[in-house]
Amino acid sequence: MSFYMIAGASSAFALAGILLLYSAWSRSGAEPVRRWGGWAAMVLSAIGWSSIVGVEFGISIATLIVMLGAFALLALKADWPKGPRPIEKQRSGTPESQALLLLWLRGFMRFMAAFLLPTASGLIAGLLFFGFTGFSEAARLVGGAFMSVTIWTLAMIWCCADKKLLRPSAALLAFSAVSGLLLAFSLPASAA
């Protein structure tokens, strides 16, 4: 097969994966076939691109196509506001300045949870991969970096998408604490 045929098929797999995932997530009820089909199509896209340009560029190109396709789909399907928002009624007994302060505080806490906890979880996961796998040093370094970015991205998406911030925050905090303790107890043993 030629370069252009594989590149076109790989791009089509990426776009099909986006559409399958979007249709599975936008419908009510379980859609496991569409959901797993979407993820499989994205993996096939990365495999196709990797076969013609190499693994390091193939995964990057497939990810870039998925990112641009998802952005275009959301921009086309978005429910854009048609005018100014209606003024919400204030809760009785809460002054307007205090309500605004609570809103800012809640937004700041969500930002800190979506920024700090995923970053810490990603870095610790990369250090764990680097420290506890038996691969060569170069493979451990690249694998640790890839693991850090992947965990950081997934954790940040989870923090931003979950309506209850306590759920991802507690899970990421527990993951970071257990991983940090594992690293703290294993580093003196490996240095000796």
Side-chain angles (χ1 to χ4, degrees):
M1 291 177 82
S2 71
F3 173 85
Y4 295 108
M5 288 180 63
I6 296 174
S10 299
S11 300
F13 277 130
L15 297 176
I18 294 167
L19 291 174
L20 282 170
L21 284 175
Y22 181 78
S23 67
W25 290 339
S26 62
R27 294 172 187 238
S28 61
E31 295 281 336
V33 174
R34 289 176 194 252
R35 189 172 56 237
W36 288 109
W39 289 116
M42 288 185 194
V43 169
L44 286 175
S45 171
I47 291 170
W49 277 108
S50 297
S51 69
I52 56 175
V53 294
V55 175
E56 63 276 0
F57 294 114
I59 293 174
S60 301
I61 292 171
T63 305
L64 184 63
I65 291 172
V66 167
M67 197 169 53
L68 293 173
F71 178 74
L73 178 69
L74 292 176
L76 291 173
K77 294 279 187 179
D79 186 17
W80 299 103
K82 308 247 186 294
R85 290 183 176 176
I87 298 173
E88 296 180 12
K89 294 181 180 178
Q90 289 291 328
R91 295 178 188 162
S92 60
T94 306
E96 187 176 333
S97 61
Q98 189 178 7
L100 186 60
L101 179 66
L102 287 174
L103 183 66
W104 275 96
L105 184 61
R106 190 175 295 133
F108 178 73
M109 293 304 290
R110 181 169 283 277
F111 169 75
M112 293 304 282
F115 177 71
L116 290 178
L117 289 174
T119 303
S121 299
L123 287 174
I124 292 173
L127 288 172
L128 284 173
F129 184 86
F130 184 80
F132 291 106
T133 53
F135 301 124
S136 69
E137 191 168 319
R140 287 187 300 149
L141 184 63
V142 171
F146 184 74
M147 179 77 66
S148 292
V149 170
T150 303
I151 296 293
W152 174 69
T153 306
L154 293 175
M156 187 171 279
I157 290 170
W158 185 23
C159 283
C160 291
D162 203 338
K163 291 181 181 176
K164 296 190 178 196
L165 187 59
L166 184 61
R167 202 173 10 217
S169 297
L172 292 175
L173 193 61
F175 173 78
S176 298
V178 170
S179 302
L181 287 173
L182 187 61
L183 277 173
F185 288 126
S186 66
L187 285 179
S190 64

